[in-house]
Amino acid sequence: MPSCMIHLQTARLLRGERSVLFCLGAIAPDAIEDWRVKDRTHFRQAEDRASALLEIAQTTDPRDDFAEGVLLHMYSDWLWDSDQLRRYWDALGGRPEGGEWVPAYRREIALASARIYRHSPWARPLWEELLAVPQAQYCPLACMEKQDIREYLTRNFAWHEDNAGAPCSAFYPPEEVERFVVGVAEGYGGWRAL
């Protein structure tokens, strides 16, 4: 899965006239801490992930900014897992058994996220907008409470503020992240219309 700033950069490209709830929906699904639960809620264990996501797209009201952001999140994760995560595994010699690879991978996406935050004038103001949304406006998501989303936002904003001087990711340099983000933004509308 991409980092929260990669999700926000994608949502920002597609935001247009949408409310900040669209951007909130684009990162809220990652408020789940347990990876096993997240794999289930993100359809990573689905027999046919593409079909599962299309079913959700068909029942998501495109006028519901939060739900549309969640759908963008799921679409982005699907593409990331099949492209960028697979590329990471290939660099390791194939999909590794066990979870020993996860900390190094998460560090790379965190560094990519820190770089976006540091070099994007829109990042801090968007986080401030996200934090200003009252919890009452959050939509319910499977396997989490509204408080989980609030804690995720608060924790990630603080992390990005504290890590503004982090080095760039060696594996996910800015041009690779930009290529991915633009590709997702360009492909989303056509996929959404299916």
Side-chain angles (χ1 to χ4, degrees):
M1 77 176 65
S3 68
C4 58
M5 284 305 300
I6 294 171
H7 279 298
L8 286 176
Q9 187 175 16
T10 306
R12 187 174 173 276
L13 281 176
L14 291 169
R15 185 174 177 186
E17 296 300 315
R18 292 187 176 277
S19 70
V20 70
L21 289 174
F22 177 69
C23 293
L24 181 60
I27 61 172
D30 282 343
I32 296 171
E33 291 290 322
D34 187 323
W35 280 84
R36 293 165 297 197
V37 174
K38 192 177 287 189
D39 281 350
R40 191 176 71 247
T41 62
H42 285 58
F43 303 99
R44 288 190 182 98
Q45 298 171 338
E47 199 169 303
D48 184 354
R49 190 175 184 186
S51 294
L53 291 175
L54 277 174
E55 281 183 41
I56 292 176
Q58 292 167 351
T59 60
T60 298
D61 181 350
R63 297 167 298 181
D64 181 338
D65 285 353
F66 186 88
E68 193 67 24
V70 169
L71 184 61
L72 174 62
H73 178 99
M74 298 302 180
Y75 176 78
S76 299
D77 272 14
W78 172 48
L79 293 183
W80 182 272
D81 292 351
S82 63
D83 179 30
Q84 295 298 322
L85 180 57
R86 185 159 312 280
R87 191 171 70 81
Y88 187 83
W89 287 340
D90 288 349
L92 296 176
R95 183 178 182 161
E97 295 295 321
E100 306 82 39
W101 61 276
V102 174
Y105 166 73
R106 293 193 80 192
R107 174 161 170 70
E108 291 300 323
I109 60 173
L111 291 175
S113 196
R115 193 226 177 257
I116 295 168
Y117 187 84
R118 180 174 63 244
H119 288 91
S120 302
W122 54 265
R124 190 171 204 278
L126 179 54
W127 275 100
E128 290 170 347
E129 282 185 77
L130 292 168
L131 288 165
V133 174
Q135 287 185 45
Q137 292 184 19
Y138 298 178
C139 294
L141 290 175
C143 303
M144 74 176 80
E145 302 294 325
K146 291 179 179 186
Q147 184 60 32
D148 296 327
I149 298 170
R150 172 59 67 181
E151 290 170 4
Y152 176 80
L153 292 173
T154 304
R155 183 176 62 249
N156 276 279
F157 176 67
W159 185 90
H160 284 91
E161 285 286 304
D162 292 344
N163 287 280
C168 288
S169 168
F171 198 82
Y172 294 113
E175 56 278 0
E176 184 67 27
V177 171
E178 182 72 16
R179 181 194 66 76
F180 174 79
V181 166
V182 169
V184 171
E186 289 175 349
Y188 184 73
W191 174 82
R192 183 69 174 98
L194 294 177

